[in-house]
Amino acid sequence: MDSRKTPAIGIDLGTTYSVVARLDETGRPVSLVNAEGDLLTPSVVLVEGEGAIVGKEAVKALGSEPEHVAQCAKREVGNDLFHQPLAGRNYPPEVLEAWILKKLHDDAALQVGPFRQVVITVPAYFDEVRRKATQDAGYMAGLELLDIINEPTAAAVAFGYQQGFFRPNASSREKQNILVYDLGGGTFDVTVMQLAGGTFTALATDGDVQLGGRDWDQRLVNFAAAEFQQRHGTDPRHDSVAAARLWRECEDLKRTLSARPRGLLTYEFQGLPLQLEITREQFADLTHDLLERTRFTTVQALAAAKLTWSDIQRVLLVGGSTRMPMVVDLLRQLSGREPDRSVSADEAVAHGAALHAGILLAKSAGKRPKFTVRNVNSHSLGVVANDPATQRERNAIVIPRNSPLPIAARRRFKTSKTGQNSILVRIVEGESASPDACTPIGRCVVRELPADLAAGTPIEVAFRYEANGRLTITVKVSGTDRKLTHELTRASGLGDAERNAWRRRIAGDDIAADEL
Ligand code: ADP
Ligand code: MG
């Protein structure tokens, strides 16, 4: 295939809004508008019959048939099912994500012609299970994933491109440490990166997959609903249509408060009116603890990178929620410098993804890439081991978080009983010493051990973690020829048959039967 004809496409699959970008003929990233003519596509899915409507129309349907509409499915990626049935049926969150991807693909293909290969972004803080589910969503949408990259990394790449870091001999190629603060609609991510020449190295990453603009909205909704209840003795949140409408008004008020020092909420339910004036200060008070959580995480990421604020040359703000003045104030106060808002808060992530796609396509065509990205893992990986001291199970970490990828690491354990004939290795992800507080991500079993194997026989567990997030495990039992190399099979997620059935239903006629 002629790689020049393959467009470099990046998709920012956001919790609230998604954006698609491509590289133009000169290699510059540009956003593509959707079929409605908008840059941002709401990540909202209206299930209708066997298919789905995604975007603006789905948002509109929230006002009339909220029980058919899914919002913020990304927040639940990694769970088995979306928290609420849609039109009476339960859906895995990655299926809802696949519908969003399908819409983004179809609209983009109208402009750039047919394509399948894409780079999709995920929050840096996404764990293995969520990354795998995102990959599955791409597959079910009929796409081929060149790679998954972290959103803050993508934003940093877009920034580096804009700053001329990719131009040979550009004067701006001096080493820079940048902190990317990404507050979107449903997730918060912070990453410390070093830009040196054409190399982007993540030094540390941290975040919260349950924190974003929607939590700020929720505070206004709660405040307004309490006020309504006090005045009229009824709570509009108990009616799903009225609640959706109140949400919309509150989100609008939040945006007003980014532009003006005070805003007015006008609402009506069952003929009862509510008019509420809210100032920026009141809003800041209502949401103080949320902002505080981002401060804590930011400071923690900086410490994990072993840097102080004086080492940070730039603070990059991405994500729609960084338009809130309280966020800009916080980062100005923390860093002692003016936060950089030169990259588009909405488009930077998609642009970085398109640049990354361009690099991967160039590489596969045998060309030398203009930049390289080095990542770290956002969560520790370990195995569940029996602690001889306490006789309790604990998480024995093999690869600590924030390790530069790729990485290989090994750890030794011992068999616990004489004559043990198999060994179960359970792999978990997380920081807690207690396995129950970690995410199970897979297991492997070494079978048919020699019958007389002594208790205390050393077992070596080796992990190899690739830059793309694939994990390979090798287990060796000392003194035997038993060795097992295993690519992780996930403990959760959809099976092949299910994925293919969904792929057929979602991608429809676009996928020829022989491709499945
Ligand atoms: P995601 O990547 O999670 O989909 P985005 O980066 O697109 O999120 O940001 C969406 C969030 O930004 C929403 O919660 C939206 O309400 C918020 N947002 C957008 N514009 C503004 C604004 N002017 N003031 C405050 N919040 C805003
Ligand atoms: Mg985003």
Side-chain angles (χ1 to χ4, degrees):
M1 189 178 19
D2 182 349
S3 71
R4 276 171 308 174
K5 295 228 177 83
T6 310
I9 306 276
I11 299 182
D12 169 8
L13 179 62
T15 312
T16 40
Y17 293 98
S18 297
V19 183
V20 183
R22 73 169 299 190
L23 297 187
D24 68 11
E25 302 71 35
T26 65
R28 197 171 52 98
V30 286
S31 307
L32 297 173
V33 295
N34 61 19
E36 290 76 44
D38 301 321
L39 279 183
L40 307 186
T41 301
S43 305
V44 180
V45 182
L46 163 67
V47 172
E48 213 169 42
E50 286 295 288
I53 308 281
V54 171
K56 218 187 220 172
E57 286 306 316
V59 174
K60 276 194 217 156
L62 272 172
S64 51
E65 35 184 339
E67 66 287 351
H68 293 196
V69 184
Q71 294 188 83
C72 293
K74 184 175 175 180
R75 268 188 155 180
E76 297 179 39
V77 159
N79 298 350
D80 286 345
L81 293 173
F82 188 63
H83 72 274
Q84 119 207 10
L86 302 163
R89 238 192 105 168
N90 283 304
Y91 292 89
E94 60 264 47
V95 167
L96 302 169
E97 294 281 87
W99 263 315
I100 298 170
L101 287 170
K102 163 84 166 127
K103 147 91 174 163
L104 299 171
H105 165 270
D106 291 357
D107 288 6
L110 292 175
Q111 296 162 71
V112 306
F115 68 90
R116 290 226 183 282
Q117 296 181 314
V118 296
V119 166
I120 298 180
T121 64
V122 294
Y125 208 58
F126 251 27
D127 61 20
E128 276 305 297
V129 173
R130 293 183 170 103
R131 281 168 200 262
K132 171 62 167 50
T134 305
Q135 259 167 352
D136 287 352
Y139 177 81
M140 291 186 287
L143 299 172
E144 186 190 319
L145 255 62
L146 289 166
D147 203 0
I148 281 193
I149 78 161
N150 292 343
E151 286 159 12
T153 306
V157 167
F159 171 77
Y161 176 83
Q162 182 188 291
Q163 295 285 311
F165 266 80
F166 303 167
R167 284 199 293 272
N169 311 321
S171 56
S172 58
R173 289 179 66 146
E174 228 171 85
K175 193 165 94 176
Q176 268 196 33
N177 292 322
I178 70 173
L179 182 135
V180 184
Y181 176 106
D182 179 356
L183 187 62
T187 52
F188 171 60
D189 247 0
V190 51
T191 295
V192 182
M193 298 210 70
Q194 187 169 77
L195 274 61
T199 305
F200 293 70
T201 309
L203 301 177
T205 192
D206 209 329
D208 196 330
V209 285
Q210 299 291 345
L211 182 63
R214 284 191 67 84
D215 299 292
W216 271 259
D217 302 343
Q218 180 80 62
R219 295 295 167 85
L220 285 175
V221 168
N222 293 351
F223 182 74
E227 201 58 37
F228 194 95
Q229 173 133 40
Q230 201 176 26
R231 290 190 203 173
H232 302 300
T234 165
D235 190 336
R237 284 174 300 183
H238 294 152
D239 174 304
S240 63
V241 171
R245 208 159 32 80
L246 179 58
W247 196 292
R248 226 176 26 241
E249 294 299 334
C250 287
E251 205 240 354
D252 213 41
L253 172 64
K254 176 183 76 172
R255 289 175 190 249
T256 301
L257 290 171
S258 292
R260 306 180 61 181
R262 56 188 63 234
L264 192 65
L265 178 86
T266 313
Y267 183 69
E268 186 237 277
F269 173 54
Q270 293 176 342
L272 305 165
L274 178 72
Q275 273 221 344
L276 210 55
E277 196 189 55
I278 295 199
T279 65
R280 210 177 257 176
E281 288 69 37
Q282 265 176 302
F283 181 44
D285 282 344
L286 287 173
T287 55
H288 177 75
D289 57 311
L290 300 174
L291 190 69
E292 183 57 25
R293 271 164 66 190
T294 75
R295 188 191 70 81
F296 180 79
T297 306
T298 304
V299 168
Q300 206 163 258
L302 191 63
K306 302 194 178 61
L307 296 177
T308 64
W309 285 108
S310 60
D311 302 314
I312 299 289
Q313 279 77 39
R314 251 188 237 252
V315 175
L316 203 60
L317 296 185
V318 289
S321 298
T322 61
R323 293 203 178 89
M324 293 190 292
M326 64 175 90
V327 168
V328 184
D329 292 345
L330 170 76
L331 285 143
R332 187 185 296 121
Q333 175 236 322
L334 276 175
S335 69
R337 60 177 69 234
E338 195 55 31
D340 193 311
R341 297 156 88 190
S342 66
V343 298
S344 158
D346 296 320
E347 297 164 282
V349 171
H351 285 191
L355 286 161
H356 187 54
I359 290 298
L360 296 174
L361 291 171
K363 256 197 203 165
S364 65
K367 296 199 203 105
R368 218 177 131 243
K370 292 203 194 89
F371 68 89
T372 44
V373 173
R374 295 209 195 110
N375 246 319
V376 293
N377 59 334
S378 49
H379 302 268
S380 300
L381 288 166
V383 300
V384 178
N386 212 30
D387 186 344
T390 60
Q391 284 305 313
R392 294 172 78 158
E393 288 187 332
R394 73 183 167 85
N395 170 17
I397 290 175
V398 182
I399 300 180
R401 61 186 299 199
N402 287 323
S403 301
L405 302 180
I407 188 172
R410 52 195 70 228
R411 205 171 156 158
R412 288 190 133 199
F413 301 93
K414 287 180 183 142
T415 57
S416 48
K417 288 182 292 231
T418 305
Q420 196 170 329
N421 64 6
S422 69
I423 296 164
L424 169 67
V425 181
R426 282 156 59 202
I427 299 111
V428 291
E429 189 172 60
E431 313 313 315
S432 172
S434 158
D436 292 344
C438 297
T439 311
I441 61 166
R443 47 174 61 211
C444 57
V445 185
V446 189
R447 294 179 207 284
E448 293 166 21
L449 295 174
D452 52 354
L453 198 69
T457 302
I459 311 162
E460 189 183 82
V461 177
F463 280 15
R464 186 172 168 80
Y465 201 26
E466 307 295 343
N468 67 4
R470 297 304 292 274
L471 181 67
T472 313
I473 300 135
T474 309
V475 183
K476 266 192 245 166
V477 182
S478 176
T480 77
D481 60 355
R482 299 305 298 161
K483 181 180 158 187
L484 183 101
T485 301
H486 191 79
E487 216 178 65
L488 197 57
T489 45
R490 317 278 160 167
S492 59
L494 299 178
D496 281 350
E498 263 177 308
R499 287 191 317 147
N500 283 330
W502 279 114
R503 181 163 148 117
R504 242 174 267 127
R505 176 165 159 195
I506 293 167
D509 302 336
D510 292 358
I511 304 289
D514 60 1
E515 277 186 68
L516 290 170

